[in-house]
Amino acid sequence: MMDKSVSTHAGVISGHSIFSSDYTLELTVFIAIVVALIIGFVLGRYKAYAFQNRSEARLSRALKMRFLAPDYHLLNHVTLRLEDGTTQIDHVLVSRFGIFVIETKEYKGWIFAGPRDRYWTQVLYRAKFRFQNPLRQNFRHVRAIQELLDFLPPEVVRQVVVFTGDAEFKTNIPDGVFTVAGFMAFVESATAEVMSVNRVQFCVGRLETTRLSITKATDVEHVQGLRRRYGDDQ
């Protein structure tokens, strides 16, 4: 009798151990899946952020806080392939009220700018630096979006340059150039609907499926293309 009792008791312990082991394994697998999903999400968010400079990240945060779905959808760091290489757009804000193709710049000091000038000038502590007219630079981006979304009237796609630093313009600020606050007000003032929410989603879908991956290789290819077209004069 003693042997049978011990054997039965041992069997119960063994069965309980197997159940506990299976439960522990399932719980471990579940936790691993959840952790993997969280890590994947965080890395994805970090990856998108890592390819933005400080001015781009600042503007992106401001736009996402103010302009929400379904009326607005923001895409950052959009690289599109063209016949002669690639073009890289800081931000594309797709909305029922128009598509804003945004080039961001962060400068300090004084800015001297002419809308048709090839270069603009920054004066900082009596030193002068010139940089490419961002309106001319952004024109290529606008044309790329217009061609990709050729079912929309061209005027729906709007060119925008946003200065996120504390630079002061010493000439008249050209049309299409804004501070962050000025651009926010500009977007809010655009209240005439030019497309439906469904059309907004369609535009976003076409952009997402056409854009190149956000990778270091994509950026390297883009920079190499710029050097082939412009040399060191970018």
Side-chain angles (χ1 to χ4, degrees):
M1 292 292 293
M2 181 64 68
D3 293 341
K4 185 176 180 179
S5 175
V6 171
S7 176
T8 302
H9 181 65
V12 171
I13 293 175
S14 178
H16 178 71
S17 298
I18 293 173
F19 174 78
S20 298
S21 179
D22 290 344
Y23 175 78
T24 301
L25 179 61
E26 291 177 1
L27 182 61
T28 302
V29 171
F30 174 77
I31 293 173
I33 293 173
V34 171
V35 170
L37 290 173
I38 293 173
I39 292 174
F41 174 78
V42 171
L43 288 178
R45 292 288 297 274
Y46 172 78
K47 187 176 184 180
Y49 177 82
F51 281 87
Q52 294 179 319
N53 60 35
R54 184 171 61 179
S55 62
E56 294 171 18
R58 177 188 173 192
L59 182 60
S60 177
R61 287 193 301 270
L63 291 173
K64 286 181 177 179
M65 290 177 63
R66 184 81 62 88
F67 303 108
L68 308 176
D71 292 337
Y72 300 89
H73 189 97
L74 179 66
L75 296 88
N76 299 310
H77 204 76
V78 177
T79 306
L80 301 175
R81 190 173 299 284
L82 306 178
E83 291 183 359
D84 59 345
T86 60
T87 192
Q88 200 166 81
I89 308 167
D90 293 339
H91 316 278
V92 181
L93 180 64
V94 184
S95 79
R96 291 194 299 117
F97 316 103
I99 296 177
F100 304 89
V101 181
I102 308 163
E103 176 74 18
T104 55
K105 296 295 180 185
E106 183 171 11
Y107 285 92
K108 297 181 179 180
W110 294 347
I111 302 295
F112 295 83
R116 292 191 175 92
D117 295 344
R118 183 175 181 182
Y119 297 100
W120 291 359
T121 301
Q122 175 195 31
V123 179
L124 186 63
Y125 303 115
R126 298 184 180 180
K128 293 184 178 181
F129 308 91
R130 71 175 191 173
F131 58 97
Q132 185 180 359
N133 180 341
L135 291 171
R136 292 168 60 101
Q137 182 182 359
N138 204 28
F139 179 74
R140 179 178 172 89
H141 304 159
V142 171
R143 289 294 301 272
I145 298 296
Q146 288 173 333
E147 292 174 5
L148 180 63
L149 306 179
D150 55 2
F151 49 84
L152 295 175
E155 61 271 17
V156 169
V157 182
R158 305 185 182 189
Q159 171 167 231
V160 176
V161 174
V162 179
F163 278 76
T164 62
D166 56 1
E168 178 183 354
F169 279 80
K170 288 299 183 179
T171 54
N172 291 332
I173 300 178
D175 290 341
V177 179
F178 302 91
T179 62
V180 173
F183 179 56
M184 296 293 175
F186 177 67
V187 175
E188 289 179 337
S189 71
T191 57
E193 183 174 317
V194 298
M195 70 179 91
S196 65
V197 170
N198 286 341
R199 182 52 62 93
V200 168
Q201 294 171 348
F202 183 82
C203 292
V204 171
R206 177 166 288 193
L207 284 163
E208 290 285 18
T209 56
T210 305
R211 70 189 296 183
L212 302 183
S213 300
I214 303 177
T215 63
K216 184 68 174 178
T218 296
D219 282 359
V220 169
E221 178 185 352
H222 176 66
V223 171
Q224 290 175 344
L226 289 177
R227 288 174 177 167
R228 284 193 299 270
R229 289 197 303 272
Y230 305 112
D232 293 329
D233 186 17
Q234 298 176 30

